[in-house]
Amino acid sequence: MNQRKHFLMICLVLMLVFSLSGCKKQESRLEDGFYTVEMSDYNNGWKEFVTIRVSGNKIVTVEYNARNASGFIKSWDIPYMRNMLDKKGTYPNRYTRTYAANFLAAQSDKGIDAVTGASISGGNFQKMASLLMEKARKGDDSLGIVESDK
């Protein structure tokens, strides 16, 4: 009889462990679709945004950039690039690709390292990536807005 109680107790514990691990898996599932988040305000004339595509519970593409009020993309601004490279040692086309690649590789908003010379954008990217993960888990494809620090 004691062995039977012990066996039942082990079965119950195993069922509980498996049911909890199943719940955790459901919470982290990403819904297929496109998700976009942008900053609430322009910073020095640019509004940053990130768009991801999720397929098969994985982030398969990441686009990170900024645009001005007319829609011109920051990474295409050659004079801006030259000026920033001279002053900061990086430029938008480099750091946006780096942040996007790190996010894609990590499949998470955690562990994305800051790029020297682009730390403000890195902070913004981290906030946008966190909201993107939240939206992708919910399947909420509405535009997400991250409040700018002022």
Side-chain angles (χ1 to χ4, degrees):
M1 187 84 167
N2 238 356
Q3 284 181 332
R4 187 174 180 179
K5 284 184 182 179
H6 189 256
F7 177 75
L8 287 173
M9 183 63 94
I10 290 173
C11 288
L12 287 173
V13 169
L14 287 174
M15 286 173 46
L16 179 63
V17 167
F18 286 126
S19 69
L20 290 177
S21 67
C23 290
K24 186 174 184 180
K25 216 175 231 185
Q26 285 288 49
E27 288 176 1
S28 64
R29 176 147 182 82
L30 303 177
E31 298 296 324
D32 288 357
F34 290 88
Y35 303 94
T36 300
V37 171
E38 66 181 29
M39 297 304 294
S40 61
D41 298 307
Y42 289 88
N43 183 10
N44 295 318
W46 301 100
K47 184 182 279 196
E48 294 176 305
F49 65 91
V50 182
T51 298
I52 63 171
R53 179 176 167 243
V54 175
S55 180
N57 195 36
K58 291 187 184 268
I59 301 168
V60 294
T61 61
V62 178
E63 179 188 1
Y64 171 41
N65 224 308
R67 65 180 165 278
N68 64 18
S70 68
F72 189 72
I73 299 298
K74 188 176 189 179
S75 291
W76 301 344
D77 189 333
I78 301 302
Y80 188 96
M81 176 193 75
R82 289 181 180 140
N83 185 41
M84 187 173 180
L85 181 60
D86 287 344
K87 291 181 179 178
K88 301 282 187 169
T90 192
Y91 52 92
N93 201 26
R94 179 184 288 167
Y95 72 75
T96 58
R97 288 179 187 216
T98 300
Y99 285 125
N102 290 342
F103 187 29
L104 184 63
Q107 294 288 304
S108 170
D109 58 317
K110 308 294 184 240
I112 299 171
D113 294 329
V115 174
T116 302
S119 57
I120 291 172
S121 291
N124 291 344
F125 183 83
Q126 186 68 52
K127 292 174 198 172
M128 289 186 288
S130 294
L131 182 54
L132 279 166
M133 293 300 291
E134 182 181 316
K135 292 177 89 45
R137 284 186 196 104
K138 294 177 182 175
D140 177 2
D141 62 0
S142 64
L143 178 63
I145 305 293
V146 172
E147 289 299 317
S148 301
D149 293 334
K150 293 220 174 192

